[in-house]
Amino acid sequence: MSSQPNNAIPKYLQESEVSQECKDLIATLPMEKGWLASHLHQYQGFWYFTRQLQGVLSCQKHFNNSLNSDILIVTTPKSGTTWLKALTFALLNRHKYPKMFENHPLLTKNPHFLVPFLELDLYNDKDLVPDLNSIPSPRLFSTHLPYVSLPKSVIDSNCKILYLCRNPKDTFISLWHFTNKLKLDGTSTNSLEDSFKKFCNGVSICGPFWEHVLGYWKESLDQPKKIMLMRYEEMKKNPSFVLKELARFVGCPFSKEEEDEGVIDDILKLCSFKILSNLEVNKKGKLSSGEEHRAFFRLGEVGDSNNYLTAEMIEQLDIITEKKLGHYGFRF
Ligand code: PAP
């Protein structure tokens, strides 16, 4: 691990800007070669890049006032986080910005800016603890944390959790593209085969993928008022149905008048891949954590993994998925 702080490199690649507590912990944790930064560390059963681990520890320690009115978007990486952030933000703020295509914040701000990640954004700096008390309710945050690692106050409060997952084949291919795009030296791209093996073995960012999904699936059955589980494929197939369910779940259902006036269609249009990916703000600029906005918009379709994976790879992922999730009644 490099010991020189280097502000020229993006945060997601920095490995030295972490607290002594984090460094001491890392020395005791299993470690593997990273997809993006040099290392992944296994903490509480899941894998994180170094800077992310700093954020995980910090939000577990300091995010201790989760409110019943909070809404937390939780995803496995590359499951449609950006899309769900945009949809939820537009849903909650529809009365504030009725003219959706004129002055809406989504037209000039990336969805990750409007809905910050706890561990990758708000709590990512070792010396900074944000004051979130002045944010008007409902506060909208996001995280990639697995259920077992959520801050205790999130577990204890009656906040709402929106969990989104995506079939592992497309999730894997999206992650593979994303990490290769964000590597700075184009020479050392991760090979598909090598990344596939790692993904199947659970060694991926916030992996094992299946354990992440299983944790929230089980909790969504036990706590249906607190956790709503969504699938990317379902959102693509029937977006208005999912959006209406989402609105009901967070306590702001659409009225008959809104439905008749086309508010649902407007939100879906504003948050569509076509509109969001073509906005100036999303074609350039970066997140506070250093990733380019445009890296979050690639294709936005279901089934693109068929263009990359061999029949054997597909079979292998299907078998793992059935073994790990089918047994619990979960299918994509
Ligand atoms: P994150 O977890 O790192 O925040 P996330 O937004 O989940 O990333 O992943 C991006 C994926 O969502 C990309 O999928 P792809 O690689 O298969 O194309 C991206 O294209 C897709 N995506 C982004 N915005 C939308 C959208 N508005 N509608 C549908 N898919 C989208």
Side-chain angles (χ1 to χ4, degrees), residues 79 83 163-167 213 217 228-238 242 302 329-332:
S79 301
W83 189 18
Y163 184 73
L164 174 63
C165 56
R166 183 183 194 184
N167 82 75
V213 175
W217 168 240
M228 175 176 173
L229 187 144
M230 287 162 277
R231 295 164 174 82
Y232 182 88
E233 295 73 21
E234 209 179 319
M235 282 170 60
K236 287 291 288 185
K237 200 168 162 189
N238 202 344
V242 176
V302 174
F330 183 90
R331 289 189 173 79
F332 283 98

Side-chain angles (χ1 to χ4, degrees), residues 75-83 112 117 144 166 170 174 178 232 236 271-273 276 296-301:
T75 56
T76 47
K78 316 327 291 179
S79 301
T81 321
T82 315
W83 189 18
H112 292 284
F117 280 109
H144 285 318
R166 183 183 194 184
D170 288 345
S174 185
F178 182 75
Y232 182 88
K236 287 291 288 185
C271 301
S272 65
F273 182 87
L276 288 186
F296 293 91
F297 303 93
R298 189 182 64 92
L299 190 70
E301 294 295 341

